[in-house]
Amino acid sequence: MDAGFEAHLRVGDVTVDERDVALLSAVDREGSLSAAADALGRSYSRAHKRIGALEEELGVLVERERGGASGGGSRLTDDARALLARFARVRAAFADTAGTEVAVLTGRVGERDGELATVATDVGDVRALLFESADDVQVAVRADAVTLHDPAVAPGADASSARNRFAGVVESVDRRESVALVDVAVGDGDVTLPVLVTVDSLERLALEPERDVVATFKSTATRATPR
């Protein structure tokens, strides 16, 4: 099983991901936004625009000095360093969990569209990546690939890139320092999806046992393999 994952941290209306952390870390290391962009092989204009977008929601992250004897440069604010520390805690927690928490669904392939297959499972049809030729498969759904929504505001199947969408009920919540593992019963309650969420999401959605939720996950984040 591939235990790879991409950690992200949602703060207000902005999502901080691995690329953002790499950019801020490079600014800290290189001493300027321009040098950071060069070190990462990114365009300066896009890096500058992304920092601006983050700062609109999170406040000043990079303090800039223009000219002067030192030639100017950039340094991270205390808020930026706190953000990096918070992200590191989330990433460590995800790394500890993502390799072991997975739901495995068995089913039979129906339609195929290239590498994407529609698999009939006990919880309904699941769209997943399938690279082999097979009829009977198992579908692995990682805990860090599932997103939970309040049913009242959950996006419809056609309004999101996460085409796999299932109504469910929270069975249990294992809260940790920065993340929580939420078990969600889907289908007729016979299948449990483990879902890894941040503590922010846990509190925002008021996740607790017997809470109704909608679980979604992308086809491209779901892998089917022959049985």
Side-chain angles (χ1 to χ4, degrees), residues 111-194:
E111 298 180 359
R112 288 202 64 162
D113 181 9
E115 293 81 16
L116 286 172
T118 300
V119 182
T121 75
D122 289 340
V123 299
D125 287 347
V126 175
R127 291 268 288 173
L129 288 172
L130 175 61
F131 298 103
E132 299 86 358
S133 176
D135 292 324
D136 296 311
V137 297
Q138 61 181 18
V139 180
V141 183
R142 295 197 320 265
D144 60 315
V146 183
T147 301
L148 297 181
H149 308 269
D150 183 329
V153 295
D158 295 332
S160 169
S161 59
R163 296 302 178 92
N164 293 309
R165 185 181 189 278
F166 300 99
V169 178
V170 174
E171 290 184 323
S172 64
V173 176
D174 179 10
R175 179 168 178 158
R176 303 173 187 182
E177 182 179 359
S178 300
V179 299
L181 186 65
V182 181
D183 283 339
V184 177
V186 294
D188 293 329
D190 295 330
V191 175
T192 298
L193 286 181

Side-chain angles (χ1 to χ4, degrees), residues 11-36:
V11 184
D13 293 330
V14 70
T15 297
V16 180
D17 60 21
E18 299 277 2
R19 284 176 59 83
D20 297 326
V21 168
L23 179 57
L24 290 172
S25 298
V27 170
D28 190 35
R29 183 174 63 252
E30 302 293 336
S32 77
L33 182 56
S34 176

Side-chain angles (χ1 to χ4, degrees), residues 20-70:
D20 297 326
V21 168
L23 179 57
L24 290 172
S25 298
V27 170
D28 190 35
R29 183 174 63 252
E30 302 293 336
S32 77
L33 182 56
S34 176
D38 287 342
L40 296 174
R42 303 183 195 175
S43 74
Y44 172 78
S45 62
R46 290 185 179 180
H48 186 273
K49 183 177 181 180
R50 181 56 181 167
I51 291 294
L54 292 173
E55 290 184 332
E56 285 184 6
E57 182 69 29
L58 305 175
V60 178
L61 300 176
V62 177
E63 292 183 337
R64 303 162 181 84
E65 298 178 358
R66 300 183 182 278
S70 63

